Amino acid sequence: MELIYEKSKAGRRAATLPRHDLPPVEVPAELRRAEPPRLPELAEPELVRHFTELSTRNFGIDTGFYPLGSCTMKHNPRVNERVVMLPGFRDLHPHQDEEGAQGALELMWRLQEILQEVAGLDACSLQPAAGSQGELTGLMLMRAYFEDIGEGSRRDTIVTADTAHGTNPASVTMAGYKLENVATDARGNLDVDDLRTKVNERTAGLMLTNPSTLGLFDEHIEEVAEIFHSAGSLLYYDGANLNAVCGISRPGDMGFDIVHINLHKTFSQPHGGGGPGGGPIVVRRKLEPFLPVPAVVRDGERYRLDHDRPKSIGKVRGFTGPFGVFVRSYAYIRSYGAGLREMSEVAVLNANYLLARLRDAYELPYDRLCMHEFVLSARALKREHGVSALDVAKRLMDYGFHPPTIYFPLVVPEALMIEPTETEPKERLDAFVEAMLAIAAEAAESPELLHEAPTTRPVRRLDEVKAARRAIVKYGFEEHPDLAGEAGESRQLEAQKGA
Ligand SMILES: Cc1ncc(COP(=O)(O)O)c(C=O)c1O
């Protein structure tokens, strides 16, 4: 496919505006550009065709099954989009006075109440814009809390699991804490013996996903909570996997003190590619004074923003957070109503169905019932046929499926982390199983097919090392003469220019 600049013909226009007879505006010389911008010039039909063709090359949850483990790529009900487009929500200005924003404030307050109930905790701030920002906010709350009780300088370490998502250690470091890693035991739980040696008076807290990124619920979670609480430390729940437990078990009841909730996963949202997201944070009462300002509060029948929180860590995002995300999540939750538990039950059922059908063709490193996702290993395929998890993932694209998460968590070699979510029907799950089984058979019979995959997608397998080392993120006009020599691999070239 040609790039839009390659289609451009000088003088073509998608629209013409009527000439005006206003005097020219005086732009100060230092702000004037020396040359006109190099914009593509196309007639409207060609422009529309260009972007329509591009859009058909995208893969999304609306085009196919997207079992990207830990990312919870579920269907986004269209009713959510209708609700968020209601003029009262869509056109609301963030500086609207409280009197004119009562509906929006009420929605946020109600969402906070629901999230508190789901988490089993007492207070909520919707402000963080992603799970990772929720993590950082939670750690800042820990710091503020310990400083307030005079233990700030002593408690300098956060414990994480070796199955932790990369954002956990990154957030710990950004928040200025030291990192302590705990091993995973043979059943996929936190290794409690290892843990005991690592928790002491310097420990500020634990950061844990439960179920873990192995899709396994920690069988010793109450004992783990006790170890931390008896050392005076706090427990942080990374809620990325909350889709497994909504309405069934609550992080607060497990002993966690701070929870972030990835609204864009558990409560649907057209996410991916970096946004939009929401990472509200829910906490135990003793941490409430430190939550970001402004807080959304209710006084009788009126809702307002409370800025008067002297111990607050301050703002972590503009205004009250990503409001459109709140509206969609609220609509999603209300459409389930009291049956929210069913969402998680079906997510867990779907994952176990896939697991049961795939466990003989791929290795299962932790042989337990899974929660909403599970991790297989392509280690045997690699050993016996030289086929890697990457090959399996790329071949799945030829079968019309988005690959699962691969090579994560790090404790599983050649990991394939599969999360179907509750919104997939049995026929779709069966089709995915058939593809995975066919790929396992191909690995034995014709491994080269897998090494070359994908062969039917618009872009073939890319040289990822080269792409990372020499990322080209804008069209360079004549600035990339060196790419011309690679024109033999035209599809590769196309991807690089458009990357
Ligand atoms: C286990 C886990 N924790 C944290 C995060 C970070 O969440 P976000 O992508 O919303 O920043 C993710 C995201 O994929 C995750 O899977």
Side-chain angles (χ1 to χ4, degrees):
M1 180 179 170
E2 274 186 315
L3 298 179
I4 196 163
Y5 284 103
E6 291 161 348
K7 291 180 180 166
S8 172
K9 293 274 176 289
R12 298 268 163 86
R13 289 288 177 275
T16 44
L17 297 176
R19 298 215 159 270
H20 62 77
D21 53 4
L22 298 170
V25 182
E26 271 311 307
V27 179
E30 70 276 14
L31 296 181
R32 266 184 239 153
R33 29 187 340 144
E35 288 172 21
R38 295 175 82 160
L39 297 175
E41 297 172 75
L42 272 82
E44 185 172 307
E46 286 304 313
L47 190 64
V48 171
R49 285 181 191 138
H50 177 79
F51 286 108
T52 305
E53 190 183 348
L54 262 187
S55 74
T56 64
R57 290 171 171 231
N58 249 344
F59 191 96
I61 190 69
D62 292 344
T63 48
F65 185 43
Y66 206 133
L68 196 64
S70 202
C71 292
T72 315
M73 303 299 285
K74 61 171 76 173
H75 171 64
N76 302 296
R78 293 307 185 263
V79 66
N80 298 357
E81 300 307 312
R82 286 197 65 176
V83 175
V84 79
M85 290 304 273
L86 290 174
F89 291 139
R90 186 194 58 202
D91 301 339
L92 197 62
H93 194 279
H95 282 301
Q96 174 73 43
D97 61 40
E98 285 173 7
E99 240 11 88
Q102 283 296 298
L105 289 168
E106 179 175 352
L107 183 140
M108 288 191 276
W109 183 84
R110 283 173 179 270
L111 182 59
Q112 289 176 179
E113 294 287 302
I114 294 170
L115 298 182
Q116 285 161 210
E117 179 60 30
V118 165
L121 290 167
D122 310 307
C124 175
S125 167
L126 300 176
Q127 246 182 59
S132 42
Q133 202 190 10
E135 291 171 26
L136 182 63
T137 307
L139 292 165
M140 288 161 71
L141 293 180
M142 277 197 196
R143 184 176 285 293
Y145 168 77
F146 284 122
E147 269 163 17
D148 192 55
I149 62 169
E151 296 180 12
S153 52
R154 167 153 69 83
R155 297 198 182 263
D156 60 0
T157 306
I158 300 285
V159 177
T160 59
D162 58 6
T163 51
H165 189 259
T167 50
N168 290 184
S171 302
V172 169
T173 308
M174 274 185 81
Y177 280 111
K178 292 182 194 146
L179 195 65
E180 186 75 78
N181 244 321
V182 176
T184 301
D185 72 13
R187 283 185 57 78
N189 299 310
L190 270 189
D191 184 329
V192 177
D193 292 334
D194 188 31
L195 184 65
R196 283 189 196 284
T197 65
K198 291 180 172 163
V199 180
N200 53 42
E201 74 291 344
R202 303 204 70 85
T203 310
L206 168 75
M207 205 171 198
L208 190 70
T209 315
N210 191 30
S212 69
T213 58
L214 292 166
L216 299 174
F217 194 91
D218 198 297
E219 296 165 306
H220 311 127
I221 193 61
E222 286 174 334
E223 192 182 346
V224 168
E226 173 55 27
I227 293 172
F228 281 89
H229 283 158
S230 57
S233 322
L234 296 170
L235 280 91
Y236 181 95
Y237 183 93
D238 173 336
N241 291 340
L242 198 71
N243 211 54
V245 295
C246 272
I248 301 170
S249 60
R250 309 191 303 172
D253 300 340
M254 298 174 210
F256 288 91
D257 305 293
I258 309 173
V259 172
H260 87 245
I261 295 177
N262 300 63
L263 291 181
H264 47 291
K265 300 183 179 189
T266 314
F267 301 124
S268 93
Q269 209 77 217
H271 72 293
I281 188 122
V282 197
V283 299
R284 228 175 260 295
R285 186 70 67 206
K286 64 182 178 185
L287 292 156
E288 185 178 10
F290 310 101
L291 283 174
V293 278
V296 179
V297 296
R298 181 166 85 163
D299 287 335
E301 290 306 302
R302 216 179 148 271
Y303 300 88
R304 66 180 176 83
L305 296 177
D306 183 8
H307 292 263
D308 186 18
R309 305 261 167 138
K311 291 187 177 180
S312 163
I313 59 166
K315 265 178 171 310
V316 296
R317 197 178 187 273
F319 303 101
T320 46
F323 183 68
V325 176
F326 305 155
V327 179
R328 290 190 192 89
S329 295
Y330 184 73
Y332 191 78
I333 294 170
R334 291 303 301 265
S335 65
Y336 270 99
L340 194 57
R341 177 190 181 106
E342 193 187 322
M343 170 186 94
S344 292
E345 285 174 344
V346 178
V348 172
L349 181 67
N350 277 357
N352 277 288
Y353 177 70
L354 286 186
L355 174 59
R357 292 207 56 198
L358 290 173
R359 54 177 298 151
D360 293 335
Y362 292 83
E363 241 180 83
L364 179 63
Y366 298 95
D367 190 359
R368 287 172 53 187
L369 279 180
C370 68
M371 299 297 287
H372 67 311
E373 66 189 4
F374 57 97
V375 181
L376 296 172
S377 168
R379 188 169 46 176
L381 295 189
K382 183 145 196 206
R383 197 175 45 236
E384 287 157 28
H385 314 298
V387 163
S388 65
L390 180 71
D391 294 333
V392 174
K394 297 290 183 191
R395 185 67 177 145
L396 266 172
M397 295 166 74
D398 282 336
Y399 281 90
F401 296 103
H402 193 284
T405 300
I406 51 173
Y407 298 106
F408 178 71
L410 304 176
V411 293
V412 176
E414 301 296 323
L416 295 155
M417 187 207 253
I418 299 168
E419 179 179 4
T421 83
E422 70 283 4
T423 58
E424 295 299 332
K426 180 168 176 298
E427 301 72 40
R428 190 66 74 170
L429 300 181
D430 284 333
F432 177 71
V433 168
E434 296 312 324
M436 286 289 283
L437 297 180
I439 291 170
E442 286 172 352
E445 289 152 18
S446 40
E448 65 289 348
L449 248 180
L450 275 74
H451 298 318
E452 282 164 20
T455 53
T456 59
R457 311 306 300 175
V459 176
R460 300 286 300 268
R461 199 179 296 202
L462 301 177
D463 181 342
E464 289 176 15
V465 175
K466 192 173 186 181
R469 291 228 175 112
R470 207 156 61 95
I472 300 168
V473 292
K474 65 181 176 63
Y475 186 61
F477 299 98
E478 66 285 351
E479 288 163 29
H480 301 311
D482 53 330
L483 284 180
E486 298 164 32
E489 289 188 58
S490 58
R491 282 166 150 184
Q492 189 105 343
L493 184 65
E494 175 185 318
Q496 294 207 4
K497 283 194 288 184

